[in-house]
């Protein structure tokens, strides 16, 4: 039953005092609070209140007052009644906030509030949507006499806690070159001159030092299964003995986190009940295809899965979340998933799998480009693996091969190199047939004969795009050669650097004698793109969403070393209260961090005047950046915090109490969980793609001041962390994550400026 609470104006009044005198003594003003509890949204309908003067007047539904959401299950409207209007005549209604239709008025007589007392019995609000559907909601009505002094105090408290943004009006792009001197907390004197004093260990040391990119590529499966080089531990991990006798473990392939399967109608024969057998090329009876899956585009945790029956054109709902089945669709949402569905539906079967085959002379940045491309595609949600033929060669034939092994007139060497190339290609195609989407095939592939062999192996199984890297800058080539001698396992046991350098140059000369540039098939040519100062990209026979994204990424990538600094805003007032979302100003601690961050950037980037500061459009990041002078400041809406939808401004405890199903759904799968009318982490990744492209394109340092969910997604890209780990990455307040991008890959360093 509904309840109606009100204060009886006769209780506690002085004996013999008239109603008018009592009203004047109380301040002559009535504060009314109307609440609707356990209200569940029905489409776009939200609760309103309408009635007679002075509430809204004339019983005009177009002028009804909208109730505001107080929590997940409570809507509220509060107002003050002037002293000359003690009678309120009103009803509740449901309608869209910005429209007058549909408009559903509650059933029953009008509600009356006279002198602060609710007339008649308290009752539920009943809304009849149609002949069969009636919505019932609990209503709470409270009326209290308040003095003008109490009203003024309440208004002051409201202004203090809900004051508007302090940074509105600041342009999206600004630069302040005026120096700012201060002796307050957080000034230059409070920051140690030695920045290393603030260094803290990173959660992972995978990118903490120099590494050879080829070592991080896919483990040769064909060699381990054939017993050429392998051992398996009890968990199914591949064990690799190293030169010092120790054993390293490669993680097994993880199960993909989303399933989107497009039926291959050419292989389903529902009329005859038979399917084609791949093994013998004949037909055999098939099982009934009642559970044959249809199209699914992921719309967040809890969304039903659409399943199409083989014998009907209608879709049914299947709530099973099958994560075991392999597939070739991306674990992503929005444009990425839509494009993948379109490509699969419209293109030939082999186009469902894409092989990027590298071409180029040694020391042209092929492996580094392949590693960056792999990282980018994985981050977007495409199942991508990097297969390096050099790794196969070292495991099959050893790492200590001289330049003679790579001569074109050495038949044994040629046979050995073609053999390992074929093994790597077979591994990649097998992986694709198990559900992999994009394979990066990394080798010189310098002759048409080799490339023709690969195209023949891929025929009918995957689409090949050749990616050729050409460089005419002798300075860059010499730098890459020296890095190769320092890092490649081929020269790990060569103590004489100069001898190794000469051997590699001899190997390079052997390749140059027989090198044939790509002129066949689909290809992308990168010509002098390594420096980031122009160059050319040539494309031939390139179409489709994913190939287009790859070209766009390659146009904007280069090898120029530069740091990228990631940091959350200083502590905000909502951080102190434990509330998510919002747009509050900084706390006292947050203001101190803003000053410390300013001093840090002045010291760290004192010689980098081309650096820039990127913030979100929320005031806590803009205020954190405001003391920084001398650098351009650019606001990105894409850097705004994850949209918490109807949960914005709530604490997690409030969500758990008022929206237990949402709380549990988020706890079950934070990656895909989408706040009601808000975003998921996958949505955040989608809107961050332009930010990643621009970070790759920049040649000067960038400081990104943003929010926890956003920085988790950005950090995961640089650290090549799996999508499922993104919601759990540690990005603490008042800590700077420095990402160093260069020819040797990505290294990380963390600075904690405050406890």
């Amino acid at each position: 039953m509904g309840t109606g609470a009100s204060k009886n104006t006769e209780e506690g009044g002085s004996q013999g005092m008239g109603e008018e005198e009592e009203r004047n003594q109380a301040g002559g003003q009535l504060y009314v609070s109307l609440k609707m509890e356990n209200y569940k949204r029905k489409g776009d309908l939200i609760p309103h209140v309408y009635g007679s003067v002075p509430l809204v007047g004339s019983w005009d539904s177009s002028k009804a007052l909208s109730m505001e959401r107080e929590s997940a299950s409570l809507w509220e409207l509060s107002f003050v009644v002037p002293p000359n209007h003690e009678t309120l005549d009103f009803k509740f209604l449901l309608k869209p906030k910005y429209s007058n239709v549909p408009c559903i008025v509650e059933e029953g007589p009008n509600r009356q509030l006279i002198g602060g007392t609710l007339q008649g019995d308290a009752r539920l609000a009943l809304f009849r949507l149609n002949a069969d559907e009636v919505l019932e909601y609990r209503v709470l009505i409270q009326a209290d006499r308040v003095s003008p002094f109490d009203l003024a105090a309440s208004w002051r408290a409201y202004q203090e806690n809900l004051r508007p943004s302090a940074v509105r009006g600041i342009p999206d792009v600004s630069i302040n070159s005026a120096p700012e001197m201060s002796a307050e907390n957080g000034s230059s004197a409070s920051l140690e001159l030695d920045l290393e004093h603030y260094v803290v260990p990173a959660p992972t040391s995978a990118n903490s030092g120099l590494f050879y990119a080829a070592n991080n590529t896919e483990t040769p499966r064909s060699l381990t299964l054939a017993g050429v080089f392998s051992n398996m531990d009890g968990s199914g991990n591949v064990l690799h003995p190293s030169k010092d006798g120790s054993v390293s473990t490669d993680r097994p392939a993880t199960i993909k986190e989303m399933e989107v399967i497009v039926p291959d109608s050419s292989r389903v024969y529902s009329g005859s009940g038979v399917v084609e057998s791949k093994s013998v090329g004949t037909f055999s009876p098939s099982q009934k295809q009642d559970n044959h899956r249809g199209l699914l585009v992921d719309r967040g945790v809890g969304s039903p899965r659409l399943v199409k029956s083989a014998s009907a054109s209608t879709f049914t709902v299947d709530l099973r979340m099958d994560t075991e089945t392999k597939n070739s669709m991306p674990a992503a949402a929005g444009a990425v998933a839509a494009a993948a569905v379109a490509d699969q539906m419209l293109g030939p079967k082999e186009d469902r799998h894409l092989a990027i085959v590298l071409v180029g002379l040694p020391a042209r940045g092929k492996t580094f480009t392949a590693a960056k491309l792999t990282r980018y595609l994985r981050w977007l949600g495409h199942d991508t693996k990097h297969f390096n033929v050099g790794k196969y060669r070292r495991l099959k034939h050893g790492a200590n091969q001289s330049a003679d092994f790579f001569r074109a007139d050495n038949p044994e060497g040629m046979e050995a190199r073609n053999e390992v190339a074929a093994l790597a290609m077979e591994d990649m195609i097998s992986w694709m047939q198990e559900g992999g989407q994009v394979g990066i095939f990394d080798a010189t592939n310098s002759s048409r004969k080799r490339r023709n062999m690969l195209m023949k192996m891929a025929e009918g199984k995957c689409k090949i795009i050749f990616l050729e890297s050409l460089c005419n800058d002798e300075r860059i080539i010499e730098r890459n050669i020296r890095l190769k001698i320092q890092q490649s396992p081929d020269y790990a046991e060569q103590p004489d650097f100069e001898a190794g350098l000469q051997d590699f140059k001899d190997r390079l000369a052997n390749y140059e004698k027989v090198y044939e540039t790509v002129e066949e098939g689909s290809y992308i040519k990168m010509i002098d793109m390594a420096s980031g100062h122009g160059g050319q990209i040539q494309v031939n026979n390139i179409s489709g969403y994913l190939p287009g994204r790859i070209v766009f990424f390659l146009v904007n990538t280069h090898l120029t070393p530069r740091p990228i600094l990631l940091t959350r805003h200083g502590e905000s007032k909502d951080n102190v209260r434990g509330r998510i979302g919002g747009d509050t100003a900084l706390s006292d601690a947050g203001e101190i961090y803003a000053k410390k961050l300013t001093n840090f950037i002045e010291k760290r980037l004192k010689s980098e005047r081309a650096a820039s500061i990127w913030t979100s459009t929320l005031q806590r990041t803009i205020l954190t950046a405001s003391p920084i002078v001398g650098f351009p400041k650019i606001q990105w809406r894409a850097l705004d915090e994850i949209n918490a939808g109807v949960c914005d401004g709530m604490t997690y405890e409030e969500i758990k109490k008022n929206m237990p199903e949402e709380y549990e759904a988020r706890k079950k799968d934070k990656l895909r969980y989408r706040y009601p009318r808000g975003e998921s982490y996958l949505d955040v990744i989608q809107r961050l793609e332009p930010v990643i492209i621009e970070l790759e394109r920049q040649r000067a340092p960038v400081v990104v001041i943003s929010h926890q969910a956003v920085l988790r997604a950005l950090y995961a890209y640089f650290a090549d962390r799996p999508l499922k780990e993104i919601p759990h990455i540690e990005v603490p307040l008042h800590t700077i994550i420095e990402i160093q991008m260069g020819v040797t890959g990505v290294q990380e360093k963390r600075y904690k400026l405050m406890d």
Side-chain angles (χ1 to χ4, degrees):
M1 288 292 295
T3 61
S6 65
K7 273 197 169 184
N8 189 333
T9 55
E10 295 181 2
E11 292 180 3
S14 300
Q15 187 174 4
M17 182 180 292
E19 185 177 336
E20 185 70 26
E21 292 176 347
E22 182 183 358
R23 184 162 57 245
N24 291 337
Q25 181 169 326
Q29 290 175 306
L30 197 66
Y31 180 80
V32 179
S33 174
L34 308 177
K35 296 186 179 183
M36 182 172 285
E37 194 174 39
N38 296 329
Y39 177 77
K40 297 180 181 179
R41 296 289 289 269
K42 184 70 176 179
D44 291 330
L45 298 177
I46 61 175
H48 287 64
V49 178
Y50 83 136
S52 62
V53 176
L55 195 56
V56 288
S58 305
W59 293 94
D60 186 350
S61 61
S62 66
K63 298 179 181 179
L65 299 180
S66 171
M67 301 182 75
E68 299 297 330
R69 187 186 286 275
E70 186 176 274
S71 68
S73 61
L74 195 65
W75 292 72
E76 191 264 349
L77 176 66
S78 300
F79 50 88
V80 176
V81 179
N84 59 336
H85 288 287
E86 281 292 290
T87 300
L88 291 181
D89 202 12
F90 66 95
K91 296 186 85 170
F92 294 98
L93 61 86
L94 300 178
K95 71 168 189 171
K97 189 169 186 178
Y98 302 107
S99 173
N100 292 323
V101 290
C103 182
I104 304 170
V105 181
E106 71 165 312
E107 297 191 339
N110 297 344
R111 299 177 187 267
Q112 285 192 327
L113 197 65
I114 301 178
T117 302
L118 183 67
Q119 305 300 302
D121 295 331
R123 68 179 192 270
L124 295 173
L126 304 178
F127 300 92
R128 186 171 298 278
L129 303 182
N130 51 52
D132 301 322
E133 187 174 9
V134 176
L135 300 181
E136 299 181 352
Y137 300 113
R138 189 164 174 246
V139 172
L140 297 98
I141 301 174
Q142 176 127 7
D144 293 290
R145 295 240 174 237
V146 292
S147 70
F149 303 103
D150 291 336
L151 279 177
S154 298
W155 178 245
R156 283 196 301 271
Y158 173 82
Q159 286 184 311
E160 181 178 340
N161 292 298
L162 296 173
R163 57 187 175 185
S165 169
V167 298
R168 292 293 177 261
I170 290 181
D172 291 340
V173 180
S174 61
I175 181 168
N176 179 5
S177 57
E180 185 175 281
M181 303 299 293
S182 174
E184 300 178 18
N185 287 339
S187 65
S188 297
S190 69
L191 188 72
E192 296 289 338
L193 292 177
D194 182 10
L195 299 181
E196 297 300 316
H197 172 78
Y198 292 92
V199 173
V200 295
T204 175
S205 59
N207 296 325
S208 58
L210 301 179
F211 66 94
Y212 187 55
N215 287 344
N216 294 335
T217 61
E218 180 65 7
T219 299
R221 197 166 38 162
S222 57
L223 298 183
T224 59
L225 293 177
V228 175
F229 178 88
S230 72
N231 243 320
M232 302 289 286
D233 68 3
S235 62
N237 295 327
V238 182
L239 305 181
H240 303 286
S242 61
K243 292 176 183 176
D244 60 2
S246 62
V247 175
S248 63
T249 305
D250 281 350
R251 291 181 300 176
T254 56
I255 297 172
K256 276 186 291 299
E257 302 154 354
M258 169 188 171
E259 181 180 6
V260 184
I261 295 182
V262 177
D264 184 359
S265 57
S266 65
R267 303 188 75 89
V268 177
Y269 299 83
S270 56
S272 61
V274 294
V275 296
E276 183 180 355
S277 170
K278 277 178 131 182
S279 58
V280 295
T282 59
F283 293 94
S284 59
S286 66
Q287 295 180 345
K288 192 174 181 180
Q289 302 289 326
D290 287 341
N291 290 326
H292 199 66
R293 289 181 178 83
L295 296 179
L296 165 70
V297 176
D298 184 24
R299 299 191 62 188
V301 169
S303 299
R305 173 175 298 246
L306 296 180
V307 178
K308 188 173 184 180
S309 170
S311 59
S313 60
T314 58
F315 284 90
T316 58
V317 176
D318 176 12
L319 296 177
R320 292 174 300 171
M321 299 300 290
D322 179 10
T323 59
E324 298 294 330
T325 306
K326 295 283 186 176
N327 62 84
S328 59
M329 300 297 286
V336 173
V341 169
D343 286 350
Q344 287 212 5
M345 294 297 287
L346 299 176
K349 182 179 178 181
E350 56 267 24
D351 284 4
R352 300 181 189 178
H353 308 288
L354 180 61
I356 305 296
V357 176
L358 276 294
V359 178
L361 292 168
R364 263 58 176 182
K366 297 186 302 301
T367 297
F368 179 65
T369 299
K372 291 186 73 170
L373 186 56
T374 301
R375 189 175 75 232
Y376 171 70
L377 294 175
R378 282 175 178 166
W379 183 77
L380 283 182
H382 300 282
D383 193 3
T384 307
K385 283 190 177 181
H386 181 185
F387 296 81
N388 181 267
V389 175
K391 188 173 184 178
Y392 280 70
R393 170 180 53 78
R394 283 185 286 274
L395 291 175
K396 183 73 183 286
H397 302 287
N400 301 315
Q401 299 293 340
S402 68
D404 288 340
F405 181 80
F406 301 91
R407 292 197 342 254
D409 58 355
N410 179 351
E412 291 82 6
M414 284 293 294
E415 182 181 356
R417 287 188 287 139
N418 285 333
E419 178 191 16
V420 292
L423 289 173
M425 191 67 177
E426 288 172 358
D427 274 3
M428 187 172 72
I429 291 173
S430 296
W431 167 74
M432 287 179 174
Q433 291 175 338
E434 294 169 2
Q437 189 181 6
V438 184
I440 313 290
F441 188 83
D442 181 10
T444 56
N445 300 312
S446 54
S447 69
R448 290 191 185 92
K449 184 177 180 181
R450 163 71 70 83
R451 297 193 292 268
N452 288 336
M453 178 190 81
L454 299 178
M455 285 192 289
K456 188 173 182 61
M457 294 179 67
E459 189 173 350
K461 300 180 178 69
C462 65
K463 178 180 180 179
I464 281 185
I465 294 179
F466 293 111
L467 175 56
E468 185 174 15
S469 180
L470 300 170
C471 182
N472 299 306
D473 190 329
E474 294 296 334
R475 179 180 54 85
I476 293 178
I477 294 173
E478 182 68 22
R479 180 194 64 186
N480 290 348
I481 290 174
R482 291 184 172 273
L483 285 172
K484 190 92 168 179
I485 304 305
Q486 294 171 0
Q487 299 176 21
S488 174
D490 287 349
Y491 297 97
E493 297 182 1
Q494 173 57 265
D496 187 344
F497 179 84
E498 292 301 325
L501 182 63
Q502 186 57 51
D503 180 81
F504 187 83
K505 289 184 175 180
D506 291 341
R507 180 195 301 189
L508 181 55
N510 289 331
Y511 277 108
E512 289 174 337
K513 291 175 184 177
V514 296
Y515 187 80
E516 297 172 293
T517 188
V518 176
E519 295 177 347
E520 66 273 18
S522 300
Y523 62 77
I524 304 167
K525 288 190 180 187
M526 301 175 61
I527 305 172
D528 293 327
M529 294 289 294
S531 65
H533 295 279
Q536 299 179 45
I537 280 202
Q538 298 178 3
V539 298
N540 181 67
N541 194 24
I542 299 295
S543 63
Y545 175 83
L546 191 51
R549 300 311 301 166
I550 290 171
V551 172
F552 182 60
F553 176 76
L554 295 174
V555 166
N556 290 284
T557 191
H558 57 85
L559 306 182
T560 305
R562 76 278 191 198
I564 294 173
L565 279 64
L566 309 177
T567 181
R568 290 173 65 183
H569 53 81
E571 181 188 65
S572 70
K573 292 185 176 180
D574 271 346
N575 288 144
V576 176
R577 302 181 186 120
R579 300 193 176 278
I580 62 176
D583 189 19
T584 55
L586 300 178
S587 68
D588 292 341
E591 291 177 355
I592 293 174
Y593 177 70
K595 297 172 183 176
K596 284 181 172 287
L597 177 64
T598 298
N599 295 328
F600 178 92
I601 290 174
E602 288 176 354
K603 291 177 173 63
R604 177 65 184 84
L605 303 179
K606 59 184 177 181
S607 61
E608 301 281 359
R609 305 319 298 175
S612 57
I613 314 296
W614 298 0
T615 72
S616 74
T617 63
L618 300 176
Q619 65 170 334
R620 53 190 182 273
T621 64
I622 298 172
L623 291 173
T624 302
S626 62
I628 304 171
V629 297
F631 299 101
K633 298 171 188 172
I634 304 168
Q635 296 180 28
W636 286 71
R637 189 171 183 83
L639 291 174
D640 285 2
E641 179 60 298
I642 187 171
N643 183 354
V646 300
C647 299
D648 189 85
M650 299 174 66
T651 66
Y652 289 117
E653 283 301 316
E654 289 172 346
I655 297 173
K656 184 176 182 179
K657 177 181 178 181
N658 298 319
M659 307 171 69
E661 292 181 357
E662 296 293 335
Y663 183 86
E664 290 301 322
R666 178 179 178 274
K667 184 178 178 181
K668 181 180 179 182
D669 188 350
K670 287 179 68 176
L671 176 68
R672 286 178 189 77
Y673 172 76
R674 181 175 290 131
Y675 286 102
R677 294 183 174 268
E679 290 182 304
S680 68
Y681 270 91
L682 291 179
D683 296 325
V684 172
I685 290 172
Q686 287 254 310
R687 65 170 156 94
L688 284 176
E689 188 191 8
V691 179
I692 288 297
I693 294 295
E694 193 57 32
L695 286 174
E696 286 286 358
R697 196 181 69 84
Q698 296 286 316
R699 293 197 298 273
V702 177
V703 181
V704 180
I705 304 174
S706 188
H707 310 267
Q708 182 169 243
V710 170
L711 293 179
R712 280 171 167 167
L714 291 178
Y715 175 81
Y717 167 78
F718 293 112
D720 197 15
R721 298 281 286 273
L723 288 180
K724 64 181 180 181
E725 294 183 9
I726 290 179
H728 311 286
I729 293 174
E730 182 182 355
V731 184
L733 281 170
H734 305 158
T735 300
I736 300 166
I737 303 175
E738 180 177 323
I739 303 293
Q740 186 69 40
M741 299 178 64
V743 294
T744 57
V746 177
Q747 290 88 47
E748 171 190 349
K749 185 182 290 186
R750 294 195 176 204
Y751 303 88
K752 189 172 182 63
L753 301 191
M754 295 174 59
D755 294 329

